[in-house]
């Protein structure tokens, strides 16, 4: 198993491709065909991978720009958190915020908390609100890795000044869902470099939250 990461779209959102044999899932495709998504499609084609699912950690526009195009190109089903459904009708979810273009709409199914299997890929969805009301983190236990979206970054945390955000909820999500994981667990965030749970416990200046 392996993970390939592509910074995509106008805010260089990390799109993570998780691969096991001939199966793959894509987490947070944040760029369209003109914003780097072609690199993801080329990877799938070159390695002859079957995309089993498109997973969204939350429904902010910069994390979902490529969802519709990726679904159209592959036929893979789309999953996202029901708690963020209302965001898709706002500029932060549907696009238009800060002058960025609109997001092409797409059909999706609820990515419920708990264990899921997509082809040969097994993951655990953790409900981790704070940055958004329904934000989830996606843990791949066979890789000892968790994808945190915009909940947790290298030495930083997600913004909580957006409508629907909550600093208190983010703090609880970090301490009850992420920092209970083994310290060697790799953290693949929505922006910036990777880190791990132990590194953030020791050095993240925002843990006073």
């Amino acid at each position: 198993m392996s993970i390939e990461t592509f910074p995509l779209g106008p805010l260089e959102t990390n799109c993570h491709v998780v691969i096991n044999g001939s199966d793959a899932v894509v987490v947070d495709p944040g760029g369209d065909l003109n914003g780097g998504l072609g690199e993801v499609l080329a990877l799938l084609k070159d390695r002859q991978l079957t995309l089993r699912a498109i997973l969204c950690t939350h429904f902010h526009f910069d994390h979902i720009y490529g969802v519709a195009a990726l679904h159209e190109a592959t036929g893979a089903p789309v999953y996202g958190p029901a708690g963020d459904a209302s965001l898709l009708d706002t500029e932060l979810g549907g696009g238009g915020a800060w002058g960025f273009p609109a997001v092409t709409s797409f059909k999706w199914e609820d990515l419920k908390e708990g264990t899921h299997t997509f082809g040969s890929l097994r993951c655990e969805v953790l409900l981790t609100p704070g940055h958004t009301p329904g934000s989830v983190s996606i843990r791949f236990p066979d890789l000892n890795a968790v994808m945190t979206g915009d909940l947790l970054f290298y030495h930083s945390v997600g913004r909580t000044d957006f409508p629907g955000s909550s600093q208190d909820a983010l703090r609880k999500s970090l301490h009850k869902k992420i920092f209970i994981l083994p310290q060697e667990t790799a953290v693949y965030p929505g922006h910036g470099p990777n880190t791990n749970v132990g590194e953030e416990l020791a050095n993240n200046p925002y843990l006073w939250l």
Side-chain angles (χ1 to χ4, degrees), residues 37-109:
L37 187 63
E39 298 178 53
V40 175
L41 289 170
L43 173 70
L44 298 174
K45 181 179 179 181
D46 291 346
R47 298 197 188 179
Q48 298 182 317
L49 300 171
T50 299
L51 185 59
R52 298 296 184 180
I54 301 165
L55 309 179
C56 305
T57 61
H58 63 292
F59 282 153
H60 278 166
F61 69 91
D62 59 309
H63 287 252
I64 59 176
Y65 263 132
V67 168
L70 189 57
H71 168 72
E72 182 177 354
T74 65
V78 180
Y79 299 87
D84 274 4
S86 62
L87 292 179
L88 295 172
D89 296 323
T90 71
E91 287 189 340
L92 280 173
W98 309 308
F100 287 114
V103 173
T104 301
S105 61
F106 52 87
K107 294 182 179 180
W108 57 280
E109 301 174 50

Side-chain angles (χ1 to χ4, degrees), residues 139-146 181-188:
R139 180 178 177 239
F140 291 86
D142 295 330
L143 286 166
N144 199 21
V146 61
L181 299 175
Q183 292 198 19
E184 64 272 16
T185 302
V187 174
Y188 287 75

Side-chain angles (χ1 to χ4, degrees), residues 92-186:
L92 280 173
W98 309 308
F100 287 114
V103 173
T104 301
S105 61
F106 52 87
K107 294 182 179 180
W108 57 280
E109 301 174 50
D110 185 16
L111 186 59
K112 297 180 183 296
E113 187 169 42
T115 301
H116 298 260
T117 302
F118 303 105
S120 61
L121 286 153
R122 179 171 62 97
C123 67
E124 180 185 5
V125 174
L126 310 172
L127 184 58
T128 52
H131 179 66
T132 67
S135 172
V136 298
S137 297
I138 305 169
R139 180 178 177 239
F140 291 86
D142 295 330
L143 286 166
N144 199 21
V146 61
M147 295 171 186
T148 54
D150 287 358
L151 174 77
L152 176 66
F153 304 120
Y154 173 75
H155 291 185
S156 189
V157 297
R159 290 176 60 171
T160 57
D161 57 340
F162 294 133
S165 299
S166 167
Q167 187 179 82
D168 183 58
L170 185 140
R171 178 187 59 81
K172 290 178 180 177
S173 293
L174 286 172
H175 289 281
K176 293 185 177 183
K177 296 294 181 72
I178 302 301
F179 292 144
I180 63 170
L181 299 175
Q183 292 198 19
E184 64 272 16
T185 302

